[in-house]
Amino acid sequence: MQGEITPVKIGFKNLGDSWLKNIQAKLNLGGVPIAPIDSSSEQAIRELMGKTEKNLTFILMAEGDADSDVYKIPVDISYLDNIGTKYYKNVSIGILVGDAPDLSTIIDSATIYRA
């Protein structure tokens, strides 16, 4: 919902036996009404040993004038393997910005049978 702070976790799982290092994830928030709060749009994991997993948590907030919609956010990921080869991957995540429901009750007519 607009103005609501939400943590967004992106998980990384190393399925291999060797370690990975300098795993960096950057959210490309340009053009979407979402901003990082108390955190950066770029975070890193120093090292991820084989057969382990870690999460990066981004604290995001939808701007007050954001429309209710699903916003596609590109994420650029880079990392090094155990021999120093650098890899790049581009993925996208979806962020749902909702609107508070507006419930109204309208009584068209009413008949009273007793006092």
Side-chain angles (χ1 to χ4, degrees):
M1 196 156 61
Q2 296 87 343
E4 187 174 317
I5 295 173
T6 303
V8 174
K9 289 185 182 181
I10 299 178
F12 295 88
K13 185 173 185 177
N14 184 351
L15 300 174
D17 293 322
S18 60
W19 53 266
L20 302 173
K21 67 178 183 176
N22 199 24
I23 302 165
Q24 297 181 342
K26 180 181 179 186
L27 304 179
N28 293 316
L29 297 172
V32 295
I34 296 172
I37 301 296
D38 294 333
S39 71
S40 171
S41 62
E42 187 170 350
Q43 294 189 27
I45 297 171
R46 184 177 201 171
E47 200 173 63
L48 186 59
M49 302 307 289
K51 308 292 185 199
T52 62
E53 55 188 283
K54 290 186 181 179
N55 294 322
L56 292 176
T57 302
F58 296 88
I59 308 300
L60 304 178
M61 182 175 76
E63 296 174 6
D65 60 351
D67 291 330
S68 295
D69 204 351
V70 175
Y71 293 93
K72 185 177 173 182
I73 299 175
V75 182
D76 297 329
I77 299 169
S78 64
Y79 60 94
L80 297 171
D81 66 12
N82 63 336
I83 60 172
T85 305
K86 192 161 193 169
Y87 297 89
Y88 298 94
K89 186 168 182 89
N90 297 336
V91 298
S92 293
I93 59 173
I95 303 290
L96 174 64
V97 175
D99 196 7
D102 182 17
L103 302 177
S104 300
T105 303
I106 298 173
I107 299 175
D108 188 25
S109 65
T111 303
I112 298 173
Y113 292 101
R114 291 189 179 172

